[in-house]
């Protein structure tokens, strides 16, 4: 793993705040107020986004967490596995997956297939960021916050080797010693 060399802010705290509010409005518009939406937060990267998103939403909701591991060394690589399952059943319930980033799409695809097999009433996905140019498998995302190019980004929950999750903004991070791939 190379050392971080330079960082460039991609999205400021204000820009993120504004976009998260818009996503919350879009989600509210698509969901009923007489039936709790079951929000499934994909750990760990999505926890900051989810915390802001749910507080901007008006739809009544319940919350659960799931952890899908897709990398061991700070980049996207290797086997995808379920690290922490949901606490409760989603059968017959309207479900919203909250994801931080869609890169190749493999992690989200795995998660969507896993949850769809449990027969939710509906299954939608909100993703804070997406990198369309990196897509290897097809995934459907109903609500997208920001599109980004082929950069590795950190902050607002996103990490590089577990660092930088606490940053209030989103920044690219460039490495020198080894190219990412
Ligand atoms: P995918 O399976 O290739 O779509 O990868 C998704 C996972 O890789 C995300 O949940 C992140 O944990 C990680 N990832 C991919 N790109 C980035 C990035 O730019 N910054 C931080 N994590 C990333
Ligand atoms: Mg992640």
């Amino acid at each position: 793993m190379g050392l971080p060399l330079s960082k460039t802010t991609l999205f400021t705290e204000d820009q993120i705040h504004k976009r998260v509010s818009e996503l919350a409005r879009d989600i509210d518009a698509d969901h009923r107020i007489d039936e709790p939406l079951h929000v499934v937060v994909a750990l760990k990267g999505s926890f900051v986004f989810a915390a802001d998103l749910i507080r901007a939403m008006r739809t009544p909701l319940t919350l659960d967490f799931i952890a899908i591991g897709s990398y061991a060394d700070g980049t996207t690589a290797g086997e995808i596995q379920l690290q922490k399952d949901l606490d409760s059943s989603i059968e017959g319930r309207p479900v919203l997956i909250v994801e931080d980033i869609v890169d190749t799409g493999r992690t989200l695809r795995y998660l969507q297939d896993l949850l769809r097999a449990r027969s939710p009433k509906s299954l939608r996905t909100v993703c804070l960021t997406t990198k369309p140019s990196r897509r290897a498998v097809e995934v459907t995302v109903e609500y997208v916050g920001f599109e980004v190019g082929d950069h590795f980004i950190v902050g607002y929950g996103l990490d590089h080797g577990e660092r930088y999750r606490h940053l209030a903004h989103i920044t690219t991070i460039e490495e020198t010693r080894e190219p990412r791939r």
Side-chain angles (χ1 to χ4, degrees):
M1 203 183 297
L3 283 180
L5 218 211
S6 64
K7 297 191 204 137
T8 311
T9 299
L10 264 193
F11 308 111
T12 64
E13 190 173 357
D14 283 352
Q15 286 174 315
I16 296 170
H17 180 78
K18 183 166 173 288
R19 190 71 191 110
V20 170
S21 303
E22 290 167 355
L23 290 172
R25 268 210 309 276
D26 291 346
I27 294 166
D28 282 341
D30 290 346
H31 292 89
R32 306 159 58 120
I33 55 156
D34 58 350
E35 181 180 39
L37 177 61
H38 197 55
V39 175
V40 169
V41 181
L43 295 173
K44 303 180 210 170
S46 308
F47 84 105
V48 176
F49 172 42
D52 285 344
L53 182 73
I54 61 171
R55 286 179 294 172
M57 284 167 58
R58 293 290 165 261
T59 307
L61 60 88
T62 51
L63 200 68
D64 205 348
F65 298 92
I66 196 164
I68 311 290
S70 63
Y71 65 99
D73 63 350
T75 62
T76 300
E79 283 284 295
I80 294 178
Q81 56 186 13
L82 181 61
Q83 293 175 337
K84 184 227 170 282
D85 204 346
L86 298 172
D87 288 340
S88 57
S89 167
I90 58 167
E91 190 178 342
R93 304 166 83 170
V95 171
L96 177 73
I97 295 173
V98 180
E99 255 292 17
D100 50 356
I101 189 161
V102 192
D103 187 34
T104 66
R106 290 197 178 93
T107 305
L108 181 59
R109 179 60 176 274
Y110 176 95
L111 181 54
Q112 288 177 340
D113 289 349
L114 183 78
L115 298 191
R116 204 173 285 114
R118 297 178 182 183
S119 308
K121 179 177 179 183
S122 61
L123 184 65
R124 293 191 177 103
T125 302
V126 57
C127 207
L128 180 68
T129 60
T130 180
K131 299 188 208 169
S133 68
R134 298 258 312 155
R135 205 71 87 245
V137 301
E138 236 182 89
V139 283
T140 303
V141 180
E142 282 79 11
Y143 314 99
V144 175
F146 300 105
E147 288 197 358
V148 301
D150 187 6
H151 307 290
F152 200 84
I153 58 173
V154 296
Y156 200 68
L158 288 159
D159 74 309
H160 181 271
E162 296 300 329
R163 295 185 62 192
Y164 312 114
R165 293 196 196 274
H166 64 290
L167 300 178
H169 61 288
I170 292 177
T171 176
T172 63
I173 156 170
E174 304 292 338
E175 296 179 80
T176 40
R177 286 191 192 154
E178 290 166 16
R180 185 153 72 90
R181 191 168 300 191

